[in-house]
Amino acid sequence: MEPRFGTFDFVFCNLKRRPFRTACLVILVAALSFMSFGGSLIAYGLMKGAENMSKRLGADMMVVPSGYENAVSGILLRSEPSTLSIDEGWTEKIASVEGVSIVSPQLLVASLNADCCSSPVQIVGYDPETDFIVGPWVRTFFLGAVSAGEIIVGNAIDAKVGSPLKFFDREYRVAARLERTGMGFDACVFMDLDTARRAARDLISKGGKVSFSAGAVSSIFLRISDGYTIDQVMRNIHGQYGYGGNGIAIVPTRLFVRNIAAGLNRLFSFFVALEAVIWILVVLVLGIVFSVTINERSREFGIFRSLGATRGQIAWLVLFESGIVGLYGGVLGTFFSGLLVLPFRIYIGRILNMPYVQASVGTITLIFAASFLLSFSVGPLAALASSIRAGNRDVYAVIRGGEA
């Protein structure tokens, strides 16, 4: 017996008979799927990164050396290794300003790209007694106390818990490795303030061209008291100590994070609007193509009707063809989009200069399903009107070549 030639075989043969048209339709749907899946992944990663930044930067303002105001974004977002220093007395001075509730100093030391260091990273020294930035984050993964000589590493640093890392020819034991945040913290090494000051002295002994006093700090994070605004406290600090004249600058980190989040919301809204416009355009283009195709195949459908095919079967053939186009385009677009976006999450964050967090497997699956269904629906939706028109044509008229 000869094998049965079914609907699926017929549809595939018809698509193969017009390879150029079929390829163009598949590429059009694939482009929509590519943008939908990849854009959604990037948008989610940026929104999640901004959310993590808001959680991690629990400070309203930070004090940095004068002239480093614009460098804050590089330190926080990309962890560009920096070594900063201001006089230790500023911690008490800032704490005494009206409207300041809590202060916590940090010391930033950049390791060297040399044999004395395992890798060039940002070393962050924090005060466990006053800290409200690093400590709450660390305690979600490490409940013990960090002893002198121990360090906590960010997620981007390739080091196992218990293994040693070397900085300035001194070894430190890794006590914990933190979750990914998409911020510069991922490439940082955290240690207590005294240990960081010892690392700073080691840096100087290795020829580092920096100057540190015994109790120097690099930045001071602060929270404002209830009833005060960021602007009020900034005016109080400037009124008491001047603006930049004493070697310090004030950076409103809370506003910095809010501005990033607001920018991302605008970007996300623009992306959704753009995707909707493209989706509508793809539906219109495919609809025109299927409409022209139906006119070209009128005699073919008339012969099918004369052989006993029902109107529903003719309409089903057209929808089946459009569904195959949507299926292939959706699979190809999401595959190549995932191939481009997923392996290069770190570089995406760097290129965009924004905190970026890769979605979990479950979230990626949901985004994939939504993007695929959105792309797959384009074909049948665009061909719906044409399929109904194909099934309603008069048999005798279309066989003769006339229009129904």
Side-chain angles (χ1 to χ4, degrees):
M1 295 179 62
E2 294 185 3
R4 183 179 178 183
F5 192 75
T7 304
F8 192 77
D9 302 296
F10 175 81
V11 168
F12 260 92
C13 286
N14 194 54
L15 291 174
K16 289 170 63 177
R17 190 158 55 93
R18 299 174 176 85
F20 181 75
R21 180 183 71 87
T22 301
C24 289
L25 294 179
V26 169
I27 291 173
L28 191 61
V29 177
L32 173 64
S33 177
F34 182 94
M35 191 202 73
S36 176
F37 184 54
S40 297
L41 282 178
I42 293 175
Y44 177 87
L46 291 174
M47 298 297 287
K48 195 67 176 179
E51 180 184 332
N52 278 350
M53 173 175 278
S54 179
K55 291 179 180 178
R56 303 306 172 210
L57 286 180
D60 296 304
M61 292 183 284
M62 64 184 296
V63 178
V64 297
S66 181
Y68 282 88
E69 302 95 314
N70 296 328
V72 170
S73 61
I75 296 172
L76 295 178
L77 298 179
R78 301 180 300 277
S79 187
E80 295 174 350
S82 304
T83 301
L84 312 179
S85 174
I86 57 177
D87 187 84
E88 61 178 311
W90 278 111
T91 303
E92 293 183 1
K93 291 179 181 178
I94 297 299
S96 66
V97 173
E98 181 184 355
V100 175
S101 174
I102 308 172
V103 298
S104 182
Q106 288 188 0
L107 179 63
L108 305 179
V109 181
S111 67
L112 300 175
N113 187 14
D115 293 338
C116 66
C117 299
S118 296
S119 60
V121 298
Q122 179 71 71
I123 297 174
V124 179
Y126 66 100
D127 183 4
E129 295 183 1
T130 62
D131 173 74
F132 55 90
I133 303 295
V134 180
W137 176 34
V138 170
R139 282 192 290 272
T140 61
F141 285 84
F142 182 69
L143 297 178
V146 181
S147 304
E150 289 186 329
I151 58 175
I152 296 173
V153 299
N155 191 267
I157 295 178
D158 186 16
K160 296 181 179 180
V161 175
S163 64
L165 286 180
K166 183 174 66 173
F167 299 108
F168 315 116
D169 284 332
R170 193 187 299 272
E171 287 193 346
Y172 299 85
R173 177 183 172 275
V174 177
R177 187 166 181 257
L178 301 174
E179 70 171 348
R180 178 169 173 76
T181 66
M183 297 170 54
F185 286 160
D186 292 335
C188 289
V189 171
F190 302 93
M191 56 182 67
D192 66 68
L193 199 54
D194 291 336
T195 304
R197 285 171 175 157
R198 185 180 66 180
R201 293 193 294 270
D202 291 340
L203 169 62
I204 295 173
S205 70
K206 294 297 179 182
K209 297 180 181 180
V210 294
S211 177
F212 280 95
S213 60
V217 297
S218 299
S219 60
I220 303 168
F221 288 87
L222 60 98
R223 282 180 177 170
I224 62 176
S225 304
D226 293 339
Y228 289 84
T229 66
I230 293 176
D231 289 337
Q232 286 175 331
V233 175
M234 288 183 68
R235 285 196 297 268
N236 291 342
I237 296 174
H238 293 155
Q240 192 166 339
Y241 299 109
Y243 181 80
N246 289 302
I248 64 166
I250 313 299
V251 178
T253 53
R254 188 73 70 182
L255 295 180
F256 172 73
V257 174
R258 287 176 185 171
N259 289 337
I260 289 179
L264 288 177
N265 285 329
R266 289 192 295 269
L267 179 64
F268 183 72
S269 299
F270 173 78
F271 168 75
V272 171
L274 179 63
E275 186 173 2
V277 170
I278 293 177
W279 188 85
I280 293 172
L281 290 176
V282 171
V283 170
L284 291 176
V285 171
L286 290 181
I288 294 172
V289 172
F290 281 118
S291 179
V292 173
T293 302
I294 294 305
N295 287 331
E296 293 175 350
R297 299 170 63 188
S298 58
R299 290 177 61 85
E300 173 188 335
F301 292 136
I303 293 173
F304 288 158
R305 289 291 308 280
S306 68
L307 294 175
T310 65
R311 293 179 178 181
Q313 288 174 327
I314 297 297
W316 169 245
L317 285 176
V318 177
L319 289 176
F320 202 167
E321 286 186 19
S322 64
I324 294 297
V325 169
L327 176 65
Y328 274 31
V331 170
L332 287 175
T334 51
F335 173 77
F336 284 107
S337 182
L339 200 63
L340 180 66
V341 173
L342 294 177
F344 301 104
R345 58 187 183 275
I346 295 177
Y347 300 102
I348 291 173
R350 290 178 180 176
I351 291 172
L352 297 176
N353 192 24
M354 300 288 281
Y356 182 84
V357 177
Q358 183 70 282
S360 64
V361 175
T363 302
I364 292 175
T365 302
L366 290 175
I367 295 176
F368 170 83
S371 301
F372 176 77
L373 289 175
L374 178 68
S375 304
F376 175 76
S377 67
V378 167
L381 185 61
L384 183 60
S386 297
S387 66
I388 295 174
R389 187 155 51 88
N392 288 336
R393 287 182 181 273
D394 180 77
V395 178
Y396 181 70
V398 295
I399 291 179
R400 290 183 57 191
E403 290 297 327

Coordinates of all heavy atoms in Angstrom, one line a residue, residues 79 81-82 109-112 119-123 157 167 187-189:
S79 N 31.9 48.4 39.4 CA 33.0 48.1 40.3 C 34.4 48.4 39.6 O 35.3 47.6 39.7 CB 33.0 46.7 40.8 OG 33.9 46.5 41.8
P81 N 37.8 49.4 39.8 CA 38.7 49.4 41.0 C 39.2 50.9 41.2 O 39.8 51.5 40.3 CB 39.8 48.5 40.6 CG 39.2 47.5 39.6 CD 38.2 48.3 38.8
S82 N 38.9 51.4 42.4 CA 39.3 52.7 42.8 C 39.9 52.7 44.2 O 39.5 51.9 45.0 CB 38.2 53.7 42.7 OG 37.6 53.6 41.4
V109 N 39.9 50.0 48.3 CA 41.3 49.8 47.9 C 41.3 48.9 46.7 O 40.6 47.9 46.6 CB 42.1 49.0 49.0 CG1 43.5 48.8 48.6 CG2 42.0 49.8 50.4
A110 N 42.0 49.4 45.7 CA 42.1 48.6 44.4 C 43.3 47.7 44.4 O 44.4 48.2 44.7 CB 42.2 49.6 43.2
S111 N 43.1 46.4 44.2 CA 44.2 45.5 44.1 C 44.9 45.7 42.8 O 44.5 46.4 41.9 CB 43.7 44.1 44.3 OG 42.9 43.7 43.1
L112 N 46.1 45.1 42.7 CA 47.0 45.3 41.6 C 46.9 44.2 40.6 O 46.6 43.0 40.9 CB 48.4 45.5 42.0 CG 48.7 46.6 43.0 CD1 50.2 46.5 43.5 CD2 48.4 48.0 42.4
S119 N 43.8 38.7 41.5 CA 43.2 39.4 40.4 C 43.0 40.9 40.8 O 42.9 41.2 42.0 CB 41.8 38.7 40.1 OG 41.0 38.8 41.2
P120 N 42.8 41.7 39.8 CA 42.6 43.2 40.1 C 41.1 43.4 40.4 O 40.2 43.3 39.5 CB 42.9 43.9 38.7 CG 42.8 42.8 37.7 CD 43.1 41.5 38.3
V121 N 40.8 43.6 41.6 CA 39.4 43.7 42.1 C 39.3 44.9 43.0 O 40.3 45.5 43.4 CB 38.9 42.5 42.8 CG1 38.9 41.2 41.9 CG2 39.7 42.2 44.1
Q122 N 38.0 45.3 43.3 CA 37.8 46.3 44.3 C 37.6 45.7 45.7 O 36.8 44.9 45.9 CB 36.5 47.1 43.9 CG 36.1 48.2 44.9 CD 37.1 49.4 44.8 OE1 37.0 50.1 43.8 NE2 37.9 49.5 45.8
I123 N 38.5 46.1 46.6 CA 38.4 45.7 47.9 C 37.6 46.7 48.7 O 37.9 47.9 48.6 CB 39.8 45.5 48.6 CG1 40.6 44.5 47.8 CG2 39.7 45.2 50.1 CD1 42.1 44.3 48.3
I157 N 33.3 36.8 41.2 CA 34.7 36.4 41.5 C 34.8 34.9 41.6 O 34.0 34.3 42.4 CB 35.2 37.1 42.8 CG1 35.3 38.6 42.6 CG2 36.6 36.5 43.2 CD1 35.7 39.3 43.8
F167 N 46.2 39.0 48.1 CA 46.2 40.4 47.7 C 47.5 41.0 48.4 O 47.6 40.9 49.6 CB 45.0 41.1 48.2 CG 43.7 40.6 47.5 CD1 42.8 39.8 48.3 CD2 43.5 40.8 46.2 CE1 41.7 39.3 47.6 CE2 42.3 40.3 45.6 CZ 41.4 39.6 46.3
A187 N 31.8 42.2 41.7 CA 33.2 42.0 41.5 C 34.0 42.6 42.6 O 35.2 43.0 42.4 CB 33.6 42.7 40.1
C188 N 33.4 42.6 43.8 CA 34.1 43.2 45.0 C 34.5 42.1 46.0 O 33.9 41.0 46.0 CB 33.2 44.2 45.7 SG 33.0 45.8 44.8
V189 N 35.5 42.4 46.8 CA 35.9 41.6 47.9 C 35.7 42.4 49.2 O 36.1 43.5 49.3 CB 37.4 41.2 47.8 CG1 37.9 40.5 49.1 CG2 37.6 40.3 46.6

